[in-house]
Amino acid sequence: MSITPLMPVYPRCGVRPVRGEHCHLIDEDGTRYLDFASGIAVNLLGHSHEGLISAIQEQAATLMHVSNLYGSPQGEKLAQKLVDNTFADTVFFTNSGAEAVETAIKTARAYHQNAGDEGDKDKYELITFANAFHGRTMATISASNQTKMHHGFSPMLEGFKYAEFDDLESAKALMGPNTAGFLVEPIQGEGGIRPASQEFMQGLRALADEHDLMLVLDEVQCGVARTGTLYAYEQYGITPDIVATAKGIGGGFPFGACLATEKAARGMTFGTHGSTYGGNPLAMAAGCAVMDAVANEEFLASVREKGDRLRTRLEQFIGNYPELFELVRGKGLMLGIKMKVESRPFFVHLRDHHQLLTVAAGDNTLRVLPPLVIGDAEIEEFFEKLSAGAASYKIPEPA
Ligand SMILES: *Cc1c(COP(=O)(O)O)cnc(C)c1O
């Protein structure tokens, strides 16, 4: 047998972290890495955060799991915090980002199809956008035009049409009698930290209002304080109908949520949806600890301030290496450095030779996603490593 016990779907690298300390990861052999990847925008309180640990420890010792057949004081508490701090009136908890998007897709379809006696079964199509990433389940890969994720998993699910990202006319051209709504990342993450424009997001909102469609946002990566507001939509001056959230929401504890207005959730009635683990007390305890830490103006202002500082310095820095770097984009502490050369080998170089963890993304972009609790020391260390990395980098010869 040559297959590995872990199904070999990830090209895993040689870094094998066994411990986390604030903004650093420590490898099996003791090597320390500066973690500006945060488990891909997950560990927003860094590693071994005391408040988060004790919330999880206490809940684990009290009640870890019960069925959704019972009342959930723990779920009600976190749902209320999300309702109080966002556009949402109601919340469904999931175990991952893809499931949060799945729930969002079902909610958008059910809005039309389960609207009492008036249900319109023909409304099922969501218009999505080129180079989107919504997860790895059948519905969420079907929602993306990235055929590399479709390969070997045919047939795709029906009901998705792909428009150009940040191009309102292209979205408009795909609208028809089957359109149920739009599904969009306000800032594409995997696609290369590409923020949608104000006009585009407001244009989608206007189209949705005009045609009674659902505006569904995938904020799995950009949500939960990452961009300097609790959710990114706040910076676009719009109110969504449905939002999928996950990654940062548990600070490392795996869970997600689908947020919706009362109107948008009208089709999600008794028996229409469910999850065995979704919203279990342990996840809810982690979520409450994260919300208590981040959902306040002081914390959000600190993310904006550090994001601005990091970005300004990055913009100055890339000027020293015009052959490597093109520009910096993103919002808050969700930043991307678009490179003029392939970004992946440079990301590997930073990791293997300078112990700096970042994340590669589409469009030759290097993602800079530090824990939101970084301080001056981590920012200094980041620039030391990045400068040394750029200075020692030899652009690989094309194969
Ligand atoms: C990571 C991600 C997902 C999928 O989340 P999982 O927890 O991996 O299922 C969906 N949408 C976006 C925008 C993401 O970044």
Side-chain angles (χ1 to χ4, degrees), residues 40 95-99 101 133-136 185 189-190 218-221 246-247 367:
I40 316 190
N95 310 293
S96 68
E99 281 172 89
V101 179
F133 181 81
H134 298 299
R136 296 296 203 135
E185 294 161 88
E190 308 295 313
D218 182 347
E219 291 223 25
V220 170
Q221 193 160 150
K247 290 204 164 87
R367 270 182 281 180

Side-chain angles (χ1 to χ4, degrees), residues 247-370:
K247 290 204 164 87
I249 198 170
F253 193 91
F255 85 97
C258 174
L259 317 180
T261 62
E262 179 170 11
K263 183 183 172 197
R266 71 183 178 191
M268 300 301 276
T269 52
F270 289 135
T272 54
H273 195 47
S275 165
T276 297
Y277 291 134
N280 96 2
L282 199 52
M284 299 300 95
C288 283
V290 170
M291 281 294 283
D292 290 347
V294 308
N296 61 78
E297 192 39 41
E298 192 187 344
F299 187 88
L300 295 166
S302 81
V303 173
R304 292 194 295 272
E305 186 276 318
K306 289 183 283 197
D308 288 347
R309 196 139 49 91
L310 199 59
R311 189 196 183 108
T312 305
R313 274 185 71 175
L314 271 175
E315 276 164 352
Q316 288 164 355
F317 167 80
I318 66 170
N320 302 332
Y321 297 93
E323 70 286 8
L324 289 181
F325 307 114
E326 186 172 329
L327 51 85
V328 181
R329 61 190 170 197
K331 290 182 193 289
L333 287 171
M334 183 177 185
L335 294 172
I337 310 173
K338 180 168 163 49
M339 298 190 64
K340 288 186 183 159
V341 296
E342 265 194 277
S343 66
R344 191 163 289 275
F346 184 63
F347 140 82
V348 170
H349 173 76
L350 292 177
R351 180 190 73 204
D352 292 350
H353 299 289
H354 299 277
Q355 291 73 50
L356 172 59
L357 303 178
T358 57
V359 195
D363 198 30
N364 283 323
T365 303
L366 191 74
R367 270 182 281 180
V368 178
L369 301 168

Side-chain angles (χ1 to χ4, degrees), residues 1 33 39 47 76 82 93 116 141 199 234 270 275 284 302 320 334 385:
M1 204 156 45
Y33 293 85
H47 303 281
E76 283 165 8
L82 288 163
F93 291 111
I141 61 174
E199 300 70 47
E234 297 166 46
F270 289 135
S275 165
M284 299 300 95
S302 81
N320 302 332
M334 183 177 185
K385 289 182 183 302

